[in-house]
Amino acid sequence: MLPMHLHATASLNEFAKANSDVIEVVLRPGCYLTHDVGIYKKAQNEIFARNPIAKKMGEGLKPALQLWAYVQSIPEPDRAIIGLGKRDSAFDAGMPEPARHYRPGTEAPRDVTPDEGWEIFGLMDQHGIEIMILSLNAPAVQAVPDARKASELARRANDALAEVVAKRPDRFQGFAALALQDVDGAIREYQRCMKQLKFKGALVNGFSQVNDPNSAVYLDLPQYRPFWAAVQESDMPFYLHPRNPLPIHSQIYEGHPWLMGPTWAFGQETAVHALRLIGSGLFDEYPRLQIVLGHMGEGLPYSMWRIDHRNAWVKTKHKHKAKNRIVDYFNANFHLTTSGNFRTQTLIDALLEIGADRILFSTDWPFENIDHAADWFDAASISEADREKIGRTNARRLFKL
């Protein structure tokens, strides 16, 4: 099986690079992972420099939980896990379960040299996963309003990811991170990633904040047409990944923070973004574009009929710019992954709507457990022919693996 989305690349924090005992640096919002007190102090100093009030969140907690609390207060683009290739049971005992679960261990899997310490290969082997495609976490580059800084961050992330892929190209491939705050720069970086780094497409975390932290600039807007032309020319897929709406656009969630993120806001935000792409006429201009949506399509397969028909008794022409029905583009220009949506009923609905040739198995690791994804998929009530397509052959074709 070939999971299409692994949120893991390199740290955004310079201090990690200065420590030779840091074996692996992996991006994930939530916590710093290390048993080395010196690394704690360096992490804390950087956190305090960015957010002086963060210290209050960790008072009275043991060190492991302090770091967890500190990082919870940092904006997502500045969060990272710093993992060492050693397991410290005392440290682990102090960490919340999600942190322990994804921490590198001491036992090297059979196909990894001990100095690499990548526990993920053992999980992949255990669950029949041959290749993972890695990407930068969300919202990352899209949440950096300064175009120059965003572009620099994207390039650094892509170079770091390329180094990881180069170590084990038989197990890892990569998606490019792109700073759409600068369209021309994003095109150049995209072409570099496709031609020089040999990445398998790009992953962008929804809208970009451009110049103003409160701005939300979507990819259907006219200034992005040259970018889409470059994507079509490359003949590689584009992964539209979720992010939360900005606070100024989130009034409907006020008082209900549990609805943010993957519970609801991720899917709603990304589904509307995808519909904007379709309704703008993008796929009439660039009919060979292929967009990948995670989480079984962010709820769109279930809504296709209603989106197109509205109230059938109203005999008025649709107001979007696309020449055909929305469902026609959905079936011709989109692929869906199973990432973070391990429910057979939802899979069957997606199969009926878009077909087995356009669905890809994915784990969404480390935000979801690999065993949960693989065990569910292996037992899902679908034909073996469809299981092979979704679990392997579709990915080989789409990503040219």
Side-chain angles (χ1 to χ4, degrees):
M1 291 179 286
L2 298 159
M4 292 302 99
H5 192 38
L6 169 66
H7 299 268
T9 57
S11 173
L12 308 184
N13 298 280
E14 292 294 337
F15 73 85
K17 298 178 181 178
N19 291 273
S20 59
D21 56 349
V22 175
I23 295 175
E24 182 183 9
V25 183
V26 181
L27 241 189
R28 177 178 184 266
C31 65
Y32 285 90
L33 295 181
T34 175
H35 67 279
D36 187 286
V37 175
I39 304 294
Y40 271 143
K41 295 300 182 184
K42 292 177 185 294
Q44 290 177 8
N45 289 340
E46 176 155 326
I47 291 167
F48 294 156
R50 294 174 182 268
N51 186 353
I53 67 171
K55 184 177 180 180
K56 296 180 180 179
M57 298 187 64
E59 292 176 351
L61 299 175
K62 63 171 60 178
L65 290 176
Q66 281 182 4
L67 246 323
W68 180 275
Y70 293 145
V71 180
Q72 293 301 321
S73 68
I74 307 175
E76 286 185 79
D78 297 327
R79 297 181 187 174
I81 288 181
I82 298 176
L84 302 182
K86 301 177 182 178
R87 181 173 294 282
D88 181 348
S89 58
F91 174 85
D92 281 347
M95 291 303 297
E97 178 60 30
R100 295 202 305 270
H101 185 81
Y102 299 119
R103 195 160 180 271
T106 53
E107 291 188 12
R110 55 180 172 77
D111 61 348
V112 186
T113 56
D115 60 319
E116 285 178 310
W118 284 346
E119 182 180 322
I120 184 61
F121 291 150
L123 291 172
M124 291 166 67
D125 290 343
Q126 182 180 352
H127 297 287
I129 296 171
E130 181 181 354
I131 295 175
M132 281 188 167
I133 300 183
L134 283 63
S135 67
L136 190 65
N137 190 15
V141 178
Q142 274 60 64
V144 181
D146 185 290
R148 183 187 60 80
K149 292 180 179 179
S151 298
E152 178 186 355
L153 174 58
R155 187 177 183 91
R156 286 170 51 203
N158 291 329
D159 287 342
L161 177 54
E163 291 181 10
V164 173
V165 172
K167 292 179 180 179
R168 291 304 303 268
D170 58 321
R171 308 307 301 271
F172 286 155
Q173 292 295 320
F175 284 138
L178 300 173
L180 275 302
Q181 292 86 338
D182 173 6
V183 179
D184 292 338
I187 293 172
R188 290 192 296 271
E189 180 65 6
Y190 177 78
Q191 292 171 336
R192 183 181 79 94
C193 289
M194 298 304 108
K195 296 176 181 179
Q196 297 180 25
L197 304 186
K198 306 298 182 183
F199 284 174
K200 299 302 180 181
L203 183 146
V204 170
N205 297 298
F207 62 85
S208 294
Q209 290 159 262
V210 182
N211 297 324
D212 179 359
N214 289 323
S215 68
V217 182
Y218 290 87
L219 294 170
D220 61 293
L221 296 177
Q223 62 263 37
Y224 290 116
R225 286 311 200 253
F227 169 75
W228 289 118
V231 174
Q232 176 169 272
E233 182 180 2
S234 76
D235 196 32
M236 297 301 290
F238 178 93
Y239 200 124
L240 182 62
H241 188 267
R243 63 174 297 185
N244 274 323
L246 296 175
I248 62 169
H249 301 150
S250 302
Q251 291 90 338
I252 194 171
Y253 299 109
E254 289 179 0
H256 296 273
W258 62 276
L259 286 169
M260 298 297 283
T263 305
W264 187 257
F266 274 6
Q268 186 272 341
E269 174 71 31
T270 310
V272 173
H273 200 162
L275 291 172
R276 288 179 61 138
L277 294 179
I278 297 173
S280 72
L282 176 66
F283 302 106
D284 295 316
E285 298 177 50
Y286 304 106
R288 292 188 287 108
L289 286 174
Q290 293 298 318
I291 309 299
V292 180
L293 298 176
H295 318 115
M296 217 80 82
E298 312 292 3
L300 285 175
Y302 189 80
S303 300
M304 277 296 114
W305 187 93
R306 182 167 175 80
I307 290 169
D308 269 325
H309 288 80
R310 301 170 293 134
N311 295 310
W313 53 269
V314 180
K315 304 300 182 182
T316 59
K317 190 180 187 301
H318 59 69
K319 296 180 181 180
H320 58 69
K321 297 178 182 179
K323 296 178 181 179
N324 302 314
R325 298 179 305 167
I326 300 297
V327 70
D328 295 331
Y329 301 100
F330 192 67
N331 289 338
N333 298 100
F334 284 79
H335 287 73
L336 316 179
T337 84
T338 66
S339 59
N341 201 339
F342 312 139
R343 183 171 172 82
T344 301
Q345 293 93 323
T346 310
L347 173 59
I348 290 173
D349 176 69
L351 283 167
L352 293 172
E353 188 60 60
I354 203 169
D357 292 335
R358 290 184 167 271
I359 302 175
L360 311 163
F361 171 78
S362 177
T363 65
D364 216 349
W365 189 89
F367 301 100
E368 301 287 347
N369 288 17
I370 288 177
D371 57 337
H372 294 174
D375 292 348
W376 160 75
F377 182 69
D378 288 344
S381 301
I382 58 176
S383 72
E384 292 307 312
D386 286 349
R387 201 183 319 274
E388 182 175 3
K389 288 181 179 181
I390 296 168
R392 187 173 183 84
T393 58
N394 291 346
R396 291 179 66 91
R397 168 181 46 79
L398 181 63
F399 298 108
K400 300 177 174 60
L401 297 171

